[in-house]
Amino acid sequence: ETGVTQTPRHLVMGMTNKKSLKCEQHLGHNAMYWYKQSAKKPLELMFVYSLEERVENNSVPSRFSPECPNSSHLFLHLHTLQPEDSALYLCASSQEEGSVGNTIYFGEGSWLTVV
Amino acid sequence: AQTVTQSQPEMSVQEAETVTLSCTYDTSESDYYLFWYKQPPSRQMILVIRQEAYKQQNATENRFSVNFQKAAKSFSLKISDSQLGDAAMYFCAYRSPHHSGGSNYKLTFGKGTLLTVNP
């Protein structure tokens, strides 16, 4: 059983729809992440939240909108997506303390298909 | 910027045999962290092993061990007594510590090596 759970596991949406991906971590961590995994491309970091504040936004289009209401939950709100946004979206978490580069733990991912 | 290179897109091994997956990286930092993750068909990214650059001793985790060569910037993964459940995509990843500046939260991944285990 994973310490990071994502729902839904599969999502098909039209380009005009609005949907959200949800992530919950049960590990007591203080940082959460969204990564995107497309076919034949390395994993791309999208957003990072540390202590519920967004600390990184790697030039992600505004049609992706993250939300971190508390240290255990992370959402990715999706609207007016494009077919090229179809990918596996991975949520992750870690415990960040001082200068240590701690291990990042991943969820099982949410498969998104935009039609 | 750091880069991670996995030169073997695919590898295969016979069950119970040993296989080594290669990874090289490029960095100007002296302190950093290296990881191997496994992604089976379920697509969950599972941590296999972790190495701190300041440690000379190679990390081991049951049947998994690494050969960390800091000067050569090489970080290979050895899987001993391969099992059918080891079949997966394996990713090498690099992470900077927080005091180094830049993107301290980011894991830089290689493109992966697809490992097939033959019965």
Side-chain angles (χ1 to χ4, degrees):
Chain A
E1 183 179 330
T2 178
V4 181
T5 57
Q6 293 185 236
T7 54
R9 295 294 312 282
H10 298 271
L11 177 63
V12 179
M13 60 185 290
M15 289 189 283
T16 58
N17 291 158
K18 289 185 180 181
K19 297 285 184 183
S20 297
L21 304 180
K22 177 183 175 183
C23 177
E24 183 175 1
Q25 59 96 0
H26 313 275
L27 301 170
H29 290 167
N30 58 12
M32 296 188 76
Y33 311 73
W34 280 115
Y35 275 83
K36 177 183 178 181
Q37 188 176 26
S38 306
K40 300 182 180 179
K41 291 177 71 174
L43 277 84
E44 303 169 67
L45 178 63
M46 300 176 71
F47 302 104
V48 181
Y49 277 81
S50 178
L51 298 173
E52 300 154 43
E53 284 192 30
R54 192 189 311 180
V55 295
E56 285 210 30
N57 176 349
N58 287 292
S59 303
V60 180
S62 60
R63 56 186 184 269
F64 295 91
S65 175
E67 178 190 1
C68 187
N70 56 60
S71 60
S72 300
H73 293 86
L74 184 66
F75 295 89
L76 187 63
H77 303 301
L78 315 168
H79 60 98
T80 60
L81 294 191
Q82 305 298 311
E84 59 264 29
D85 296 322
S86 299
L88 179 70
Y89 290 84
L90 289 161
C91 177
S93 71
S94 66
Q95 180 63 21
E96 300 301 305
E97 294 169 313
S99 63
V100 178
N102 275 319
T103 301
I104 295 174
Y105 295 90
F106 289 83
E108 294 176 295
S110 293
W111 276 106
L112 173 66
T113 303
V114 181
V115 297
Chain B
Q2 294 81 21
T3 59
V4 176
T5 302
Q6 294 179 249
S7 59
Q8 306 152 315
E10 296 183 28
M11 293 280 285
S12 63
V13 63
Q14 289 296 126
E15 197 175 2
E17 298 293 311
T18 296
V19 64
T20 298
L21 308 184
S22 300
C23 173
T24 58
Y25 56 93
D26 188 23
T27 184
S28 59
E29 298 173 326
S30 59
D31 190 20
Y32 47 87
Y33 304 85
L34 296 166
F35 304 87
W36 278 98
Y37 284 89
K38 162 186 175 181
Q39 190 176 41
S42 69
R43 302 311 294 268
Q44 184 185 2
M45 197 72 72
I46 301 168
L47 176 70
V48 175
I49 202 164
R50 164 195 168 105
Q51 175 82 42
E52 289 87 352
Y54 64 84
K55 289 186 178 178
Q56 291 187 326
Q57 187 173 9
N58 289 325
T60 63
E61 194 70 40
N62 300 316
R63 297 182 294 106
F64 299 87
S65 61
V66 298
N67 184 4
F68 173 48
Q69 302 289 329
K70 191 172 183 180
K73 298 180 182 176
S74 171
F75 183 59
S76 60
L77 174 70
K78 185 171 83 170
I79 306 173
S80 304
D81 186 25
S82 298
Q83 301 176 359
L84 295 177
D86 295 333
M89 182 72 85
Y90 285 81
F91 292 94
C92 179
Y94 173 105
R95 184 175 184 187
S96 301
H98 281 293
H99 58 71
S100 68
S103 177
N104 306 125
Y105 291 90
K106 182 180 177 181
L107 268 178
T108 301
F109 285 89
K111 291 187 176 181
T113 296
L114 180 62
L115 178 67
T116 302
V117 181
N118 300 310

